[in-house]
Amino acid sequence: MFLLSHMLKSFIRKGQLTVIDAEGKRHVFGGGEPGPQVTMRLTDPKLYRSLVFKAELVAGEAYMDGTMRFEEGSSLRDFLMLFSVNRLSLGSYPIQKILRAVKMRFRKSLQSNRKGEAQRNVAHHYDLGNDFYRLFLDDNMLYSCAYFREEGETLEEAQRNKLRLLAAKLNLKPGMKVLDIGCGWGDLAIYLAQLEDVSVVGVTLSKEQHALATNRAKDAGLAGRVRFELKDYRDVEETFDRIVSVGMFEHVGVQHYDEFFKKLNALMPDDGVAVIHSIGHMSPPGMTSPWLRKYIFPGGYSPALSEVVAVTEQNSLWVTDIEILRLHYAMTLAHWCGRFEANRHKVVAMYDERFARMWEFYLISCEMMFRAGSQMVFHLQLSRKRDAAPIVRDYVTDRQRAYIEREKELGLAV
């Protein structure tokens, strides 16, 4: 326990961590500043060393395997909050600083999403089966940050708020063609076509999403104006008046950003508008957690805003609007976590206990990153022309209010 104890003494400054080792001996760390109180039992002595050199990866795997447990009233949520509020002190620990510097040299190779490889990466996560995602998503299966306008809103209401906000920022006009890159299960594309007289093409690399989205458009009577294609966005050849992408940019990878924005530029006319909704972080450029990359999102990376805006500049795109959603994803994930836990027995029946633990670790750790870490969501509105969107931002609010009334008229209100 020497190496691990040495690191934990430096790491835990807020709250307190009690570690019960494989021999049953208790070790107490922290307690100097207020914070979560956690009791963790480690049943495998190999963890003493591996947690020092591969902290993020091994912690997740140990929880999945059951060799890391939480006792005396504490939980995984408490532990991940403790980790989150102390993350900066862990990053400054000498061994962690050296390991991070080495890994940063190779980070681009870990974010590869070349054609073919991108589809395999997407399938790893999104093709788990639609029945699985129905267990914790909202009724319309939106798998991205919701937008909570008021306290106490349901997940369904907040997800509709998000669609309405994006529609307002697109500033749609009758007859426009819209491209939805990374269309998920199709709800945004269908909503836009219901709301406005526009045609929408959605592209996805997930076979499960494509099949369900296509059926949903048909059921909504929109097959003539909404179509979904199983296609890499880089293979799209049509041009569009508007482009929207929600929760897909995290799968692009830093070395592909120039390729992404070049393609956006090529797909729009001069007065076209694109709106990108993506997870990012407020800290300098970094890396995806090795556990998240291995088990959840291979090839995934949530960028610093500085990494994104620099490439839009190189591609002569105006950033006509930026909005930062700070706590909305933490609130979204809290809803997902609650629904997942309520259906946990079904997850175990569909897969197994280890899979359920993996997804618990994923959902709760992500919530903590948005609640106490550096993660956020950003909206970028882009165009070739400075005046492609109205120069006064009031239209975004005005459009949302008008759409609320139109939803009521069309019977679309949640």
Side-chain angles (χ1 to χ4, degrees):
M1 275 285 293
F2 173 76
L3 271 178
L4 181 60
S5 294
H6 190 271
M7 184 178 79
L8 291 176
K9 285 177 184 177
S10 174
F11 173 30
I12 307 297
R13 298 179 183 180
K14 299 177 182 178
Q16 181 173 290
L17 175 65
T18 299
V19 178
I20 304 173
D21 65 24
E23 290 74 42
K25 186 178 179 182
R26 299 171 72 91
H27 310 261
V28 181
F29 305 96
E33 298 180 42
Q37 307 288 307
V38 179
T39 298
M40 176 174 73
R41 182 181 293 273
L42 302 177
T43 61
D44 185 352
K46 293 178 183 177
L47 292 173
Y48 306 159
R49 180 179 178 83
S50 58
L51 279 169
V52 173
F53 292 98
K54 298 179 181 179
E56 291 179 279
L57 176 63
V58 171
E61 290 180 332
Y63 181 74
M64 289 162 60
D65 295 336
T67 53
M68 173 192 288
R69 302 197 300 266
F70 302 98
E71 301 180 354
E72 299 176 358
S74 61
S75 64
L76 174 64
R77 177 175 291 273
D78 299 323
F79 170 73
L80 290 171
M81 175 58 85
L82 182 72
F83 178 90
S84 225
V85 299
N86 286 285
R87 71 189 189 285
L88 296 180
S89 54
L90 176 63
S92 64
Y93 186 68
I95 292 176
Q96 295 299 320
K97 286 180 70 173
I98 294 169
L99 291 173
R100 179 180 176 80
V102 172
K103 290 174 184 175
M104 280 293 285
R105 291 178 175 272
F106 301 97
R107 75 180 189 121
K108 288 188 176 181
S109 66
L110 300 174
Q111 299 173 25
S112 179
N113 282 288
R114 296 185 300 272
K115 288 184 184 179
E117 186 175 22
Q119 179 148 16
R120 289 193 297 274
N121 288 342
V122 166
H124 175 90
H125 188 83
Y126 294 98
D127 285 348
L128 288 171
N130 296 334
D131 289 343
F132 169 67
Y133 285 101
R134 286 190 180 97
L135 295 177
F136 65 93
L137 298 182
D138 65 295
D139 292 341
N140 290 320
M141 295 181 71
L142 287 155
Y143 190 27
S144 56
C145 176
Y147 183 57
F148 292 84
R149 290 164 54 94
E150 297 177 9
E151 187 176 348
E153 286 185 316
T154 66
L155 180 59
E156 281 71 18
E157 289 169 333
Q159 289 290 15
R160 173 57 61 83
N161 293 342
K162 184 261 300 295
L163 297 189
R164 195 183 301 123
L165 176 63
L166 291 166
K169 290 181 178 182
L170 286 170
N171 195 31
L172 299 169
K173 295 178 175 60
M176 283 187 166
K177 290 174 60 181
V178 183
L179 174 65
D180 183 359
I181 299 177
C183 60
W185 288 277
D187 200 51
L188 174 58
I190 292 168
Y191 174 77
L192 295 178
Q194 289 172 326
L195 212 58
E196 296 279 7
D197 182 18
V198 297
S199 59
V200 188
V201 175
V203 295
T204 177
L205 291 174
S206 167
K207 294 178 181 178
E208 292 276 344
Q209 290 183 339
H210 175 259
L212 181 58
T214 299
N215 287 335
R216 291 179 70 184
K218 183 179 178 180
D219 292 343
L222 292 169
R225 287 197 293 123
V226 178
R227 77 174 191 270
F228 298 100
E229 298 182 0
L230 191 62
K231 179 182 287 188
D232 192 298
Y233 76 94
R234 289 165 285 201
D235 292 328
V236 176
E237 298 298 335
E238 300 174 59
T239 56
F240 297 86
D241 304 291
R242 297 290 188 262
I243 300 175
V244 64
S245 182
V246 181
M248 177 271 178
F249 192 72
E250 300 93 313
H251 302 282
V252 172
V254 171
Q255 73 270 39
H256 298 286
Y257 286 174
D258 185 65
E259 182 180 31
F260 179 86
F261 289 113
K262 271 187 171 62
K263 189 63 178 181
L264 251 62
N265 212 330
L267 292 172
M268 291 191 295
D270 285 346
D271 60 352
V273 171
V275 177
I276 309 300
H277 166 123
S278 174
I279 299 172
H281 58 264
M282 51 71 67
S283 50
M287 296 171 294
T288 302
S289 150
W291 183 87
L292 201 66
R293 188 174 63 244
K294 179 177 179 179
Y295 290 99
I296 307 296
F297 290 121
Y301 173 64
S302 303
L305 202 57
S306 58
E307 296 176 281
V308 181
V309 174
V311 187
T312 67
E313 294 168 350
Q314 292 162 13
N315 283 277
S316 301
L317 288 166
W318 279 89
V319 177
T320 51
D321 190 76
I322 296 179
E323 183 171 7
I324 306 299
L325 308 183
R326 289 157 287 140
L327 279 168
H328 295 271
Y329 217 157
M331 297 161 72
T332 304
L333 282 154
H335 278 277
W336 290 348
C337 287
R339 294 181 182 206
F340 184 90
E341 287 303 321
N343 288 300
R344 192 182 188 282
H345 61 290
K346 295 180 182 178
V347 176
V348 173
M350 291 170 69
Y351 297 97
D352 57 28
E353 176 65 26
R354 191 171 189 268
F355 181 91
R357 284 172 167 265
M358 178 176 75
W359 270 76
E360 280 176 334
F361 195 90
Y362 158 53
L363 292 172
I364 298 173
S365 64
C366 284
E367 181 188 341
M368 294 304 108
M369 286 190 285
F370 284 96
R371 197 171 293 284
S374 63
Q375 298 291 88
M376 49 78 164
V377 169
F378 62 83
H379 282 184
L380 283 186
Q381 187 191 62
L382 303 165
S383 182
R384 290 185 195 166
K385 292 178 62 179
R386 72 191 74 206
D387 59 350
I391 62 172
V392 177
R393 204 174 184 275
D394 294 4
Y395 77 96
V396 177
T397 300
D398 294 342
R399 282 280 184 126
Q400 289 178 85
R401 289 173 176 160
Y403 285 157
I404 289 172
E405 296 306 313
R406 194 172 301 176
E407 288 169 21
K408 294 176 183 176
E409 292 171 6
L410 296 172
L412 301 177
V414 175

